[in-house]
């Protein structure tokens, strides 16, 4: 398969007002990369804003959810042939300027680099409940899956193309945010070298977080089944 360089995947759902600055930041940080916005048919102008900022937009018509979006995007990325696949959230909480540091971790020998929010207590805009939820999710994931990672639920990552293909995206089962844990666990079991790169998330500029009880419940019952 020919090497097609770097690809950046940004999943979105109703992120108008946030996605434009994110894409412009991505294009500045990794100017040679292809940028895909994978949108869950937001209907609020997210897609148009992303296109105006220079991204290729792929509208999903199937079931909504982060897991579904990443499964489709990963499969398309495998067909694309990119040697490096970056991913980050479209709500502005990830600083695109951190992407080169994740890429440098791959150049240093990592198969998967994770933007680690290990100092989440310092994160602007995170209340006590959000910090507790993040810590609990990390503990639960590492407890059941024996992961030696401080932030297994982070959505800011850089993958080697071969490593991402090896997690078999077509068979991913998570529908929501648990997809981050599912892919990490598969990569680790496949022998991937994982490096965490410290990042400091930023407060969301517009809209509300998509985290809800249903997403938390899925993580609670699914993660133990991946042992």
């Amino acid at each position: 398969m020919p090497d097609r360089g770097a690809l950046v995947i940004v999943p979105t759902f109703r992120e108008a007002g946030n996605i434009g600055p994110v894409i412009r930041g991505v294009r500045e940080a990794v100017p040679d990369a292809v940028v895909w916005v994978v949108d869950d048919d937001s209907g609020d102008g997210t897609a148009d804003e992303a296109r105006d900022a220079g991204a290729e937009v792929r509208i999903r018509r199937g079931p909504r959810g982060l897991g579904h979006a990443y499964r489709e995007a990963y499969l398309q990325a495998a067909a694309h042939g990119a040697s490096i696949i970056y991913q980050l959230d479209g709500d502005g909480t990830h600083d695109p300027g951190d992407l080169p540091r994740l890429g440098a971790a791959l150049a240093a020998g990592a198969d998967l680099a994770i933007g680690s929010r290990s100092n989440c207590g310092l994160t602007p805009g995170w209340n006590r409940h959000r910090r507790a939820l993040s810590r609990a999710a990390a503990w639960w994931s590492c407890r059941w899956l024996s992961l030696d990672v401080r932030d297994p639920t982070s959505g800011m990552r850089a993958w080697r193309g071969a490593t991402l293909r090896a997690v078999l995206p077509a068979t991913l089962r998570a529908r929501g945010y648990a997809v981050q844990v599912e892919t990490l666990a598969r990569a680790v079991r496949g022998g991937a070298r994982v490096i965490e790169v410290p990042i400091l998330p930023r407060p969301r500029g517009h809209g509300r977080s998509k985290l809800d009880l249903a997403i938390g419940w899925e993580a609670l019952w699914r993660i133990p089944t991946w042992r």
Side-chain angles (χ1 to χ4, degrees):
M1 179 178 294
D3 180 359
R4 296 193 179 179
L7 171 67
V8 184
I9 298 171
V10 188
T12 56
F13 180 58
R14 295 179 181 169
E15 293 297 351
N18 294 319
I19 192 61
V22 169
I23 299 306
R24 287 189 288 272
V26 168
R27 293 185 63 80
E28 181 177 348
V30 280
D32 295 330
V34 174
V35 185
W36 288 352
V37 165
V38 182
D39 184 64
D40 271 5
D41 199 14
S42 295
D44 68 339
T46 295
D48 290 338
E49 186 176 325
R51 289 190 191 95
D52 290 344
E56 296 182 18
V57 177
R58 299 175 177 227
I59 304 294
R60 297 185 59 255
R61 306 293 184 186
R64 287 172 171 161
L66 191 67
H68 296 300
Y70 269 127
R71 181 165 52 249
E72 292 184 22
Y74 289 156
L75 285 170
Q76 293 173 17
H80 180 272
S83 57
I84 298 174
I85 298 95
Y86 296 98
Q87 62 178 75
L88 74 163
D89 293 347
D91 59 5
T93 57
H94 292 152
D95 182 354
D98 288 327
L99 292 176
R101 296 198 295 123
L102 271 63
L106 296 188
D111 299 303
L112 167 61
I114 297 176
S116 179
R117 305 160 297 176
S118 56
N119 291 324
C120 63
L122 302 176
T123 302
W126 279 25
N127 58 29
R128 186 181 309 171
H129 173 75
R130 183 68 180 87
R131 292 195 297 269
L133 181 62
S134 180
R135 292 190 182 108
W139 178 85
W140 187 254
S141 301
C142 294
R143 157 70 176 79
W144 283 104
L145 303 176
S146 301
L147 299 172
D148 186 21
V149 175
R150 296 186 68 182
D151 192 4
T153 64
S154 174
M156 188 175 205
R157 302 182 176 188
W159 296 84
R160 289 191 187 277
T163 303
L164 183 57
R165 291 190 292 273
V167 305
L168 303 177
T171 64
L172 292 172
R173 292 176 289 171
R175 294 173 293 180
Y177 285 72
V179 70
Q180 313 293 12
V181 178
E182 185 176 16
T183 52
L184 171 61
R186 290 189 181 193
V188 169
R189 288 175 181 169
R193 183 186 179 198
V194 179
I195 292 180
E196 291 186 90
V197 177
I199 64 170
L200 185 62
R202 306 181 298 186
R204 166 187 279 274
H206 301 272
R208 300 175 59 184
S209 171
K210 309 305 187 298
L211 285 172
D212 58 24
L213 289 177
I215 289 171
W217 173 245
E218 184 197 22
L220 188 67
W221 73 264
R222 274 197 190 274
I223 287 172
T225 71
W226 297 331
R227 295 182 67 177

